Amino acid sequence: MNNKYYLSTFVVGFSLMTVELTSSRIVAPIIGSSIFTWTSVIGTILLGLAIGNLIGGKITDKYSKIYGELVLAISMLISSLLVYLIIPLSKNTDLIVEHSLSIITVSVLVCIFLFLLPSISIGIISPIIFDLYVNDIRNIGKKYAILSGLWSFGSILGVFITGFYFISKIGSSGTIYLISVVFLTLFFFFFIKNIRKEDPLLRNKLIFTILIFILFLLSIYLFYNKELSTSSKIIHSEETEYYDLKVVDYDLYPFLGKNRILFLDLDSHSISTRKESKLFYTDIYPVFSAFSEKINKIHIIGAGAYTLPINLRKHYPNSEISVSEIDPKIEKIGNDYFNLRKYNISTEITDARIKFSKIKDSTEKYDLIFGDAYNSFISVPWHLLTKEFVASLKNRLNDDGIYAINFIGSIEGENSKIFESIYSTVNEVFPNNYIFTFGYDYNKIQSITILGIKNDKFIEQRTLLNKLSKIDSSEFLSQRLLDKKVINSGKGLRKGIVLTDDLSPIEYMMTGLMEEYFKFYLPIYNKIIS
């Protein structure tokens, strides 16, 4: 008799954690993936569960003794509907996202809009099950422990199966729809078993409600499937273990010929152009010859669409080039859509922090290591910015080796915190360093590349400018070199905190920058993928 309560408790715990883990993937293409996203998702779902438990307790006291398992069945039906609506509602967040609010406020509001009601409905279920399961108060502690343990084991299984299988195999939308079906199945189980006990009028009303419910879900499914398939610019779309990935053909820069853009979640991580450009940080590749006579072995952290590795391969044809990339699907995307097969570039599927901590590889040295990894929403992964990690990279460089890192920031003004801290961190490890900027206003958001040289052969500004002119006759590199007098005088560089494994508050320091970039970038993104 109690087996049905054991099973339903286990399944509901499984379903809850599946929804919670999948939720972060659903909002990533809307608001990015950051500490703000995870905080908003987890906080919203915990809030919903707390409210649901309170409501479930009151419903149990008032109705469960009268209507028995029908109350549980109806709560399962409501949960099925609200979980199902997460996906279509996620396509209608523009009013929240486009409003002039802080990124933290937007993250919280989007998560409340999508996940609060489903969390409340799921939270209602557990008090009802507990009340039906407990016939008397004897051994109530043991009975509570059994149900609580089953809920926890179901939650654990939900985490592992969702993270290791569901999201990568059936996608976030498929996972959410699956959980909706699970709740619907539980509803039918308890409904069919108990409806015979009730009067015919109630039975007919419930059956009619179910039919309307199923037709409603079907209409939403058909409508949104049609809507999502209308963009001819998207030539490939899939959900990987790490990203909602899209390859889009869109002439964002028509004067450079055909543009192909790789989107990972909300962000454009790489733009491949048919004609050679002198616009982006990925065009910095000739600069390394000014600091070292030999660039024979190169490693890039983060692949994107392999734009930077391919540029380096063209400029240093005899070099050995490798890439560390955390997402195993990215290499295939590079081969299929960005001509990676034409170039001799090896890819290691790993987190760079893991790669450079391997003792067995510690004797392998490089002439150039370039940090080009991004989390969603223009933020570099914090663990790849710390002093400890930068120092480990220095140990893996040859005597004249170069460490380069690119990130988004501002040299001056309110959004300069991230630049100041990254520069302070690199400066602690590489006192011999140089800065290249890819904008014309130091107060504006732009790509910034810092070069740290392992040796102590400092090059004066004028001498370096002469070297850069010889390497690049277009003066692109010379114009990008930042004169450190700018940041060492007047209202220039304020000393940022040195980022460490213990303290690296990247998202906090980037809050203002992310908000400004979000408002500028979102209309462009919507135009491209619409």
Side-chain angles (χ1 to χ4, degrees):
M1 178 180 177
N2 290 327
N3 289 340
K4 58 187 175 182
Y5 301 129
Y6 295 155
L7 179 62
S8 57
T9 298
F10 181 87
V11 171
V12 172
F14 174 91
S15 301
L16 171 67
M17 290 310 299
T18 298
V19 170
E20 181 170 347
L21 199 61
T22 309
S23 296
S24 63
R25 298 301 304 271
I26 292 170
V27 297
I30 304 170
I31 56 176
S33 179
S34 68
I35 189 65
F36 303 137
T37 306
W38 275 106
T39 301
S40 300
V41 167
I42 295 171
T44 298
I45 289 177
L46 288 176
L47 175 63
L49 286 176
I51 295 172
N53 287 166
L54 292 173
I55 296 174
K58 292 184 178 181
I59 291 174
T60 295
D61 292 342
K62 191 171 183 180
Y63 296 109
S64 68
K65 299 302 181 186
I66 302 172
Y67 294 105
E69 291 178 354
L70 277 180
V71 177
L72 180 59
I74 292 171
S75 67
M76 297 291 188
L77 181 65
I78 294 171
S79 295
S80 177
L81 171 63
L82 293 176
V83 169
Y84 186 94
L85 288 176
I86 289 173
I87 299 303
L89 288 177
S90 69
K91 315 302 177 186
N92 292 277
T93 58
D94 291 351
L95 287 177
I96 301 173
V97 174
E98 293 177 0
H99 205 280
S100 297
L101 299 169
S102 70
I103 188 63
I104 295 176
T105 303
V106 169
S107 298
V108 171
L109 290 178
V110 166
C111 290
I112 288 175
F113 176 67
L114 295 177
F115 310 125
L116 183 61
L117 288 180
S119 301
I120 290 174
S121 67
I122 296 173
I124 289 172
I125 294 172
S126 57
I128 298 174
I129 294 177
F130 184 71
D131 182 72
L132 293 170
Y133 171 62
V134 177
N135 296 318
D136 58 65
I137 62 172
R138 287 177 296 178
N139 299 319
I140 193 170
K142 179 181 177 181
K143 293 175 180 178
Y144 175 81
I146 291 173
L147 291 187
S148 179
L150 287 169
W151 180 288
S152 297
F153 282 124
S155 299
I156 293 167
L157 185 63
V159 168
F160 284 115
I161 292 182
T162 303
F164 294 146
Y165 185 81
F166 282 162
I167 289 176
S168 60
K169 300 301 180 183
I170 64 175
S172 55
S173 296
T175 302
I176 291 297
Y177 290 141
L178 174 64
I179 296 305
S180 178
V181 171
V182 168
F183 280 117
L184 191 60
T185 302
L186 289 173
F187 159 74
F188 279 120
F189 173 78
F190 287 105
F191 175 76
I192 293 172
K193 185 175 181 296
N194 290 273
I195 192 62
R196 297 170 186 155
K197 301 176 183 178
E198 306 300 331
D199 60 83
L201 181 61
L202 176 62
R203 179 186 62 202
N204 293 336
K205 286 181 178 179
L206 286 174
I207 291 174
F208 177 75
T209 302
I210 294 165
L211 291 174
I212 295 297
F213 169 77
I214 293 173
L215 289 173
F216 175 67
L217 296 186
L218 181 62
S219 64
I220 293 174
Y221 176 79
L222 293 174
F223 176 77
Y224 277 97
N225 268 10
K226 181 179 179 181
E227 287 291 302
L228 291 173
S229 62
T230 57
S231 176
S232 59
K233 302 167 191 171
I234 300 175
I235 62 173
H236 180 78
S237 178
E238 70 173 293
E239 196 161 1
T240 74
E241 287 89 341
Y242 293 89
Y243 302 106
D244 178 13
L245 182 153
K246 293 181 181 68
V247 180
V248 181
D249 281 343
Y250 184 85
D251 291 338
L252 188 61
Y253 301 98
F255 57 91
L256 294 176
K258 183 179 179 181
N259 296 184
R260 177 161 287 179
I261 308 172
L262 173 67
F263 285 98
L264 301 178
D265 290 334
L266 185 67
D267 306 320
S268 56
H269 276 242
S270 296
I271 300 176
S272 173
T273 60
R274 181 163 294 176
K275 297 179 182 178
E276 184 177 352
S277 68
K278 291 291 183 181
L279 289 175
F280 313 116
Y281 77 92
T282 50
D283 300 314
I284 198 176
Y285 53 88
V287 75
F288 306 112
S289 300
F291 300 96
S292 178
E293 295 180 359
K294 63 172 186 175
I295 305 292
N296 296 328
K297 191 165 185 176
I298 301 170
H299 186 81
I300 300 97
I301 300 170
Y306 287 85
T307 305
L308 179 61
I310 289 172
N311 285 348
L312 289 166
R313 163 58 65 218
K314 291 176 180 177
H315 194 75
Y316 305 99
N318 298 319
S319 62
E320 179 185 337
I321 300 180
S322 59
V323 176
S324 55
E325 168 58 47
I326 197 169
D327 191 333
K329 296 289 181 67
I330 295 296
E331 183 179 15
K332 185 177 187 302
I333 294 298
N335 285 327
D336 293 347
Y337 298 99
F338 294 94
N339 297 315
L340 177 61
R341 285 192 176 92
K342 291 172 57 179
Y343 305 94
N344 182 23
I345 297 170
S346 63
T347 302
E348 184 177 353
I349 305 302
T350 185
D351 186 294
R353 190 72 190 250
I354 296 174
K355 172 181 173 57
F356 287 101
S357 65
K358 291 179 179 177
I359 298 175
K360 68 183 182 67
D361 296 332
S362 60
T363 57
E364 188 176 16
K365 302 289 185 178
Y366 298 88
D367 299 306
L368 169 64
I369 298 175
F370 198 118
D372 194 30
Y374 285 86
N375 272 334
S376 184
F377 224 34
I378 72 175
S379 175
V380 178
W382 71 269
H383 65 295
L384 302 183
L385 292 175
T386 66
K387 180 181 176 181
E388 291 87 347
F389 179 64
V390 176
S392 71
L393 297 182
K394 185 176 183 179
N395 291 331
R396 300 293 291 276
L397 291 172
N398 289 317
D399 292 341
D400 294 328
I402 304 165
Y403 167 62
I405 182 169
N406 186 79
F407 56 96
I408 305 294
S410 298
I411 300 296
E412 297 176 348
E414 295 180 356
N415 294 323
S416 62
K417 291 179 181 178
I418 189 67
F419 161 68
E420 292 159 3
S421 289
I422 293 178
Y423 177 74
S424 295
T425 305
V426 173
N427 190 54
E428 283 272 319
V429 182
F430 292 94
N432 184 10
N433 58 72
Y434 307 84
I435 304 168
F436 291 81
T437 63
F438 296 85
Y440 294 93
D441 184 342
Y442 294 148
N443 286 282
K444 298 294 184 181
I445 299 171
Q446 58 198 281
S447 290
I448 302 170
T449 303
I450 300 176
L451 271 60
I453 315 301
K454 188 172 182 178
N455 64 43
D456 57 0
K457 301 173 186 175
F458 292 86
I459 305 176
E460 294 183 354
Q461 185 85 2
R462 182 178 298 179
T463 303
L464 182 54
L465 286 172
N466 289 334
K467 281 190 167 191
L468 295 177
S469 297
K470 292 177 182 178
I471 294 171
D472 174 32
S473 59
S474 71
E475 303 296 321
F476 170 74
L477 295 176
S478 302
Q479 293 171 5
R480 306 275 69 80
L481 178 65
L482 177 68
D483 189 343
K484 287 191 180 179
K485 292 179 182 178
V486 172
I487 61 174
N488 291 329
S489 62
K491 295 182 180 180
L493 178 67
R494 298 165 295 181
K495 184 173 176 58
I497 68 169
V498 175
L499 305 172
T500 66
D501 287 348
D502 183 59
L503 181 63
S504 185
I506 299 303
E507 281 91 352
Y508 172 76
M509 290 189 291
M510 293 189 71
T511 302
L513 185 146
M514 291 168 71
E515 291 171 4
E516 183 176 335
Y517 185 79
F518 187 76
K519 294 171 186 175
F520 159 78
Y521 175 76
L522 187 62
I524 299 174
Y525 171 78
N526 288 333
K527 183 179 179 181
I528 292 173
I529 67 167
S530 63

